[in-house]
Amino acid sequence: TFVVTDNCVRCKYTDCVEVCPVDCFYEGPNFLVIHPDECIDCALCEPECPANAIFSEDEVPKGQEIYIELNAELAEKWPNISAMHDPLPDAKEWDGVPNKLQYIER
Ligand code: SF4
Ligand code: F3S
């Protein structure tokens, strides 16, 4: 499965959503997640993310392993998103800022 990680937080570009053939992205106020049971591992979303926030489960950057569980947990709570929309207004400013876990709104 693929996992959305730290750099998506407060950016939410949503380019990833547009290419997913099974619509397995779920949307919170300032972060997106992938439902691990629905992802078919096609890898199409990974290169689409301008923030490079998507990784295969076994390639999640060191220190960001928590995001594997977080994607599974929040995908059960948040509504599905199947179409791209504008990024958050200050996405550019937050792109690349480390340790954004603390900012995730639920
Ligand atoms: Fe969707 Fe494919 Fe990305 Fe999984 S790897 S979330 S199926 S685009
Ligand atoms: Fe997030 Fe990247 Fe998608 S910033 S919303 S994972 S395109």
Side-chain angles (χ1 to χ4, degrees):
T1 193
F2 279 67
V3 179
V4 185
T5 63
D6 201 75
N7 206 30
C8 177
V9 178
R10 290 198 157 178
C11 291
K12 208 165 79 165
Y13 285 110
T14 73
D15 301 62
C16 53
V17 168
E18 201 64 16
V19 298
C20 183
V22 294
D23 290 344
C24 63
F25 281 89
Y26 293 79
E27 181 178 26
N30 63 3
F31 181 49
L32 242 64
V33 293
I34 292 169
H35 198 308
D37 299 338
E38 296 174 2
C39 175
I40 57 169
D41 270 329
C42 73
L44 285 175
C45 57
E46 187 179 10
E48 293 301 318
C49 175
N52 295 315
I54 302 179
F55 295 90
S56 173
E57 185 175 26
D58 47 19
E59 291 173 354
V60 168
K62 219 170 161 28
Q64 295 197 38
E65 295 85 356
I66 182 82
Y67 278 92
I68 298 170
E69 287 166 47
L70 211 52
N71 275 243
E73 179 199 333
L74 297 173
E76 289 289 335
K77 294 184 181 152
W78 285 346
N80 189 256
I81 168 173
S82 56
M84 189 177 171
H85 59 63
D86 287 342
L88 292 172
D90 48 0
K92 275 208 183 74
E93 284 74 53
W94 285 100
D95 190 349
V97 175
N99 303 321
K100 295 189 278 183
L101 180 70
Q102 57 189 316
Y103 301 123
I104 296 174
E105 294 169 30
R106 298 183 176 228

